[in-house]
Amino acid sequence: MREFGLQQRAAQFWRENLPSCVAFFFFFMLGAACGYAACRPLLGDALLDAAESPVRRLLAAGISIGIENLHIVPGESVDARNFGCTPDECREWIELLRWRLDCCSRIGFNFDLGHARNNGPLANLFTISDWYEELGDEINGFHLHQVVKRPDGTLCNHMPLVEPFGSLISLASLFLGWRRGTVNPAPMFLEIRDGDPVESMCRLRAALQP
């Protein structure tokens, strides 16, 4: 199970400094250990039991919860993946948390576009447009990063934004959805782990200039 101490300590910080901040509460990483088929029945029991206390603390501190989509890692089979790689799984987890905590308005969906694009065989079954159609009205945050292709053909996440409207991770549909009202306008976070995130922000700004 994921350690929740960081989220609990962060609740006090965000309450004092950024009351409107969205806390990103991630899925439990059970699929890699026991396989999707084995961990799926635990969703309604063990996962909810473990999540209830820390999520209640975050909500009590005025912090919204964004359930983030996961992705299949290179070499991982569909049956051995984590739960939370498809829109229906993310919605199910959101609805279960809302039911357990009797709270609808501040538990939503944090959409990681790179995870949706780099999702193994599921990326073709559930395109980014499919994610918008299924969960666009539930989005309360975004994680943005570039997906790049390695020399061996595998994809790599959390790289700097060098082409915001490129082939592997185009943001065109995101901003079009905002304009048309099919995607909630929500805070965007650059999740860059390799390179300068400020440069990525500048590239994104430049790409959006009229």
Side-chain angles (χ1 to χ4, degrees), residues 14 23 32 34 40 62 77 83 105 124 126 139 143 164 169 174-175 178 194 210:
W14 295 125
C34 63
R40 176 62 184 81
S77 70
F83 186 86
S105 62
N124 294 324
F126 304 100
I139 293 174
H143 277 181
I169 182 79
L174 166 60
F175 296 111
W178 274 19
D194 185 4

mmCIF file of all heavy atoms in Angstrom, residues 14 23 32 34 40 62 77 83 105 124 126 139 143 164 169 174-175 178 194 210:
data_model
loop_
_atom_site.group_PDB
_atom_site.id
_atom_site.type_symbol
_atom_site.label_atom_id
_atom_site.label_comp_id
_atom_site.label_asym_id
_atom_site.label_seq_id
_atom_site.Cartn_x
_atom_site.Cartn_y
_atom_site.Cartn_z
ATOM 1 N N TRP A 14 -1.013 22.872 2.904
ATOM 2 C CA TRP A 14 -1.862 23.439 1.863
ATOM 3 C C TRP A 14 -3.009 24.238 2.471
ATOM 4 O O TRP A 14 -3.441 25.235 1.905
ATOM 5 C CB TRP A 14 -2.408 22.337 0.956
ATOM 6 C CG TRP A 14 -1.358 21.632 0.171
ATOM 7 C CD1 TRP A 14 -1.116 20.290 0.130
ATOM 8 C CD2 TRP A 14 -0.372 22.229 -0.684
ATOM 9 N NE1 TRP A 14 -0.054 20.021 -0.686
ATOM 10 C CE2 TRP A 14 0.416 21.176 -1.202
ATOM 11 C CE3 TRP A 14 -0.091 23.541 -1.058
ATOM 12 C CZ2 TRP A 14 1.469 21.414 -2.079
ATOM 13 C CZ3 TRP A 14 0.962 23.771 -1.929
ATOM 14 C CH2 TRP A 14 1.725 22.718 -2.428
ATOM 15 N N ALA A 23 -5.088 18.111 -4.243
ATOM 16 C CA ALA A 23 -4.166 17.056 -3.822
ATOM 17 C C ALA A 23 -4.384 15.851 -4.721
ATOM 18 O O ALA A 23 -5.502 15.391 -4.908
ATOM 19 C CB ALA A 23 -4.427 16.670 -2.370
ATOM 20 N N ALA A 32 0.811 -4.527 -10.034
ATOM 21 C CA ALA A 32 2.131 -5.032 -10.391
ATOM 22 C C ALA A 32 2.530 -6.217 -9.517
ATOM 23 O O ALA A 32 3.322 -7.052 -9.918
ATOM 24 C CB ALA A 32 3.165 -3.911 -10.249
ATOM 25 N N CYS A 34 0.202 -8.411 -7.731
ATOM 26 C CA CYS A 34 -0.662 -9.576 -7.738
ATOM 27 C C CYS A 34 -1.431 -9.744 -9.030
ATOM 28 O O CYS A 34 -2.128 -10.739 -9.198
ATOM 29 C CB CYS A 34 -1.647 -9.507 -6.571
ATOM 30 S SG CYS A 34 -2.777 -8.095 -6.658
ATOM 31 N N ARG A 40 -8.394 -6.830 -8.525
ATOM 32 C CA ARG A 40 -9.670 -6.188 -8.838
ATOM 33 C C ARG A 40 -10.733 -6.400 -7.750
ATOM 34 O O ARG A 40 -11.422 -5.453 -7.372
ATOM 35 C CB ARG A 40 -10.162 -6.681 -10.201
ATOM 36 C CG ARG A 40 -11.538 -6.163 -10.595
ATOM 37 C CD ARG A 40 -11.520 -4.654 -10.715
ATOM 38 N NE ARG A 40 -12.833 -4.116 -10.991
ATOM 39 C CZ ARG A 40 -13.759 -3.912 -10.069
ATOM 40 N NH1 ARG A 40 -13.509 -4.199 -8.807
ATOM 41 N NH2 ARG A 40 -14.931 -3.406 -10.392
ATOM 42 N N GLY A 62 -10.025 21.086 3.464
ATOM 43 C CA GLY A 62 -10.437 21.909 2.334
ATOM 44 C C GLY A 62 -9.706 21.602 1.052
ATOM 45 O O GLY A 62 -9.671 22.433 0.134
ATOM 46 N N SER A 77 1.920 -7.069 -19.108
ATOM 47 C CA SER A 77 0.743 -7.575 -19.795
ATOM 48 C C SER A 77 -0.505 -6.872 -19.278
ATOM 49 O O SER A 77 -0.511 -6.298 -18.185
ATOM 50 C CB SER A 77 0.601 -9.084 -19.589
ATOM 51 O OG SER A 77 0.248 -9.368 -18.243
ATOM 52 N N PHE A 83 -4.690 -1.436 -11.524
ATOM 53 C CA PHE A 83 -6.056 -0.951 -11.709
ATOM 54 C C PHE A 83 -6.008 0.559 -11.905
ATOM 55 O O PHE A 83 -5.247 1.252 -11.243
ATOM 56 C CB PHE A 83 -6.893 -1.284 -10.475
ATOM 57 C CG PHE A 83 -8.347 -0.947 -10.619
ATOM 58 C CD1 PHE A 83 -9.226 -1.833 -11.197
ATOM 59 C CD2 PHE A 83 -8.828 0.273 -10.187
ATOM 60 C CE1 PHE A 83 -10.568 -1.528 -11.351
ATOM 61 C CE2 PHE A 83 -10.163 0.602 -10.329
ATOM 62 C CZ PHE A 83 -11.041 -0.297 -10.908
ATOM 63 N N SER A 105 -18.572 16.724 -4.590
ATOM 64 C CA SER A 105 -18.083 17.911 -5.276
ATOM 65 C C SER A 105 -16.561 18.037 -5.290
ATOM 66 O O SER A 105 -16.010 18.670 -6.183
ATOM 67 C CB SER A 105 -18.687 19.166 -4.644
ATOM 68 O OG SER A 105 -18.299 19.282 -3.284
ATOM 69 N N ASN A 124 -4.629 2.444 -27.766
ATOM 70 C CA ASN A 124 -5.427 2.436 -28.993
ATOM 71 C C ASN A 124 -6.897 2.170 -28.717
ATOM 72 O O ASN A 124 -7.762 2.580 -29.490
ATOM 73 C CB ASN A 124 -4.885 1.378 -29.952
ATOM 74 C CG ASN A 124 -3.488 1.707 -30.454
ATOM 75 O OD1 ASN A 124 -3.167 2.874 -30.678
ATOM 76 N ND2 ASN A 124 -2.655 0.694 -30.623
ATOM 77 N N PHE A 126 -8.410 3.190 -25.870
ATOM 78 C CA PHE A 126 -8.917 4.378 -25.168
ATOM 79 C C PHE A 126 -8.012 5.560 -25.520
ATOM 80 O O PHE A 126 -7.002 5.792 -24.868
ATOM 81 C CB PHE A 126 -8.943 4.147 -23.655
ATOM 82 C CG PHE A 126 -9.728 2.939 -23.239
ATOM 83 C CD1 PHE A 126 -9.091 1.747 -22.917
ATOM 84 C CD2 PHE A 126 -11.116 2.979 -23.180
ATOM 85 C CE1 PHE A 126 -9.811 0.636 -22.533
ATOM 86 C CE2 PHE A 126 -11.842 1.868 -22.798
ATOM 87 C CZ PHE A 126 -11.192 0.685 -22.474
ATOM 88 N N ILE A 139 -12.987 16.235 -14.543
ATOM 89 C CA ILE A 139 -11.584 16.629 -14.396
ATOM 90 C C ILE A 139 -11.447 17.806 -13.439
ATOM 91 O O ILE A 139 -12.152 18.808 -13.561
ATOM 92 C CB ILE A 139 -10.978 16.983 -15.764
ATOM 93 C CG1 ILE A 139 -10.892 15.730 -16.646
ATOM 94 C CG2 ILE A 139 -9.594 17.617 -15.604
ATOM 95 C CD1 ILE A 139 -10.434 16.008 -18.063
ATOM 96 N N HIS A 143 -2.042 16.630 -15.444
ATOM 97 C CA HIS A 143 -0.590 16.462 -15.457
ATOM 98 C C HIS A 143 -0.150 16.475 -16.917
ATOM 99 O O HIS A 143 -0.632 15.676 -17.727
ATOM 100 C CB HIS A 143 -0.176 15.145 -14.806
ATOM 101 C CG HIS A 143 -0.097 15.213 -13.320
ATOM 102 N ND1 HIS A 143 0.271 14.139 -12.536
ATOM 103 C CD2 HIS A 143 -0.328 16.236 -12.460
ATOM 104 C CE1 HIS A 143 0.248 14.507 -11.255
ATOM 105 N NE2 HIS A 143 -0.114 15.764 -11.194
ATOM 106 N N PRO A 164 4.256 20.873 -27.980
ATOM 107 C CA PRO A 164 2.943 20.708 -27.349
ATOM 108 C C PRO A 164 1.850 20.220 -28.285
ATOM 109 O O PRO A 164 0.854 19.664 -27.835
ATOM 110 C CB PRO A 164 2.633 22.111 -26.822
ATOM 111 C CG PRO A 164 3.970 22.750 -26.634
ATOM 112 C CD PRO A 164 4.804 22.222 -27.763
ATOM 113 N N ILE A 169 1.984 13.579 -28.127
ATOM 114 C CA ILE A 169 1.212 14.129 -27.007
ATOM 115 C C ILE A 169 0.680 15.511 -27.391
ATOM 116 O O ILE A 169 1.131 16.534 -26.898
ATOM 117 C CB ILE A 169 2.047 14.175 -25.710
ATOM 118 C CG1 ILE A 169 1.232 14.690 -24.539
ATOM 119 C CG2 ILE A 169 3.332 14.943 -25.896
ATOM 120 C CD1 ILE A 169 0.334 13.676 -23.940
ATOM 121 N N LEU A 174 -7.147 19.196 -25.953
ATOM 122 C CA LEU A 174 -7.384 19.708 -24.608
ATOM 123 C C LEU A 174 -7.923 21.136 -24.662
ATOM 124 O O LEU A 174 -8.968 21.445 -24.074
ATOM 125 C CB LEU A 174 -6.091 19.652 -23.795
ATOM 126 C CG LEU A 174 -6.078 20.445 -22.487
ATOM 127 C CD1 LEU A 174 -7.170 19.959 -21.545
ATOM 128 C CD2 LEU A 174 -4.707 20.355 -21.821
ATOM 129 N N PHE A 175 -7.234 22.000 -25.367
ATOM 130 C CA PHE A 175 -7.647 23.399 -25.407
ATOM 131 C C PHE A 175 -8.913 23.589 -26.242
ATOM 132 O O PHE A 175 -9.714 24.484 -25.965
ATOM 133 C CB PHE A 175 -6.502 24.258 -25.932
ATOM 134 C CG PHE A 175 -5.310 24.252 -25.024
ATOM 135 C CD1 PHE A 175 -4.126 23.635 -25.390
ATOM 136 C CD2 PHE A 175 -5.387 24.837 -23.771
ATOM 137 C CE1 PHE A 175 -3.034 23.621 -24.537
ATOM 138 C CE2 PHE A 175 -4.295 24.822 -22.907
ATOM 139 C CZ PHE A 175 -3.119 24.207 -23.293
ATOM 140 N N TRP A 178 -11.662 22.714 -23.867
ATOM 141 C CA TRP A 178 -11.902 23.851 -22.963
ATOM 142 C C TRP A 178 -12.803 24.878 -23.637
ATOM 143 O O TRP A 178 -13.763 25.372 -23.048
ATOM 144 C CB TRP A 178 -10.570 24.498 -22.593
ATOM 145 C CG TRP A 178 -9.887 23.865 -21.427
ATOM 146 C CD1 TRP A 178 -10.118 22.619 -20.925
ATOM 147 C CD2 TRP A 178 -8.869 24.448 -20.624
ATOM 148 N NE1 TRP A 178 -9.287 22.385 -19.863
ATOM 149 C CE2 TRP A 178 -8.517 23.487 -19.652
ATOM 150 C CE3 TRP A 178 -8.217 25.672 -20.637
ATOM 151 C CZ2 TRP A 178 -7.538 23.726 -18.691
ATOM 152 C CZ3 TRP A 178 -7.232 25.912 -19.686
ATOM 153 C CH2 TRP A 178 -6.904 24.949 -18.725
ATOM 154 N N ASP A 194 12.816 15.141 -16.192
ATOM 155 C CA ASP A 194 14.109 15.183 -16.863
ATOM 156 C C ASP A 194 14.162 16.468 -17.677
ATOM 157 O O ASP A 194 13.491 16.599 -18.690
ATOM 158 C CB ASP A 194 14.283 13.957 -17.766
ATOM 159 C CG ASP A 194 15.667 13.901 -18.395
ATOM 160 O OD1 ASP A 194 16.504 14.765 -18.070
ATOM 161 O OD2 ASP A 194 15.924 12.989 -19.208
ATOM 162 N N PRO A 210 -1.314 33.933 -29.804
ATOM 163 C CA PRO A 210 -2.048 34.130 -31.049
ATOM 164 C C PRO A 210 -1.130 34.654 -32.156
ATOM 165 O O PRO A 210 -0.104 35.248 -31.890
ATOM 166 C CB PRO A 210 -3.128 35.153 -30.674
ATOM 167 C CG PRO A 210 -2.563 35.891 -29.507
ATOM 168 C CD PRO A 210 -1.716 34.884 -28.751
#
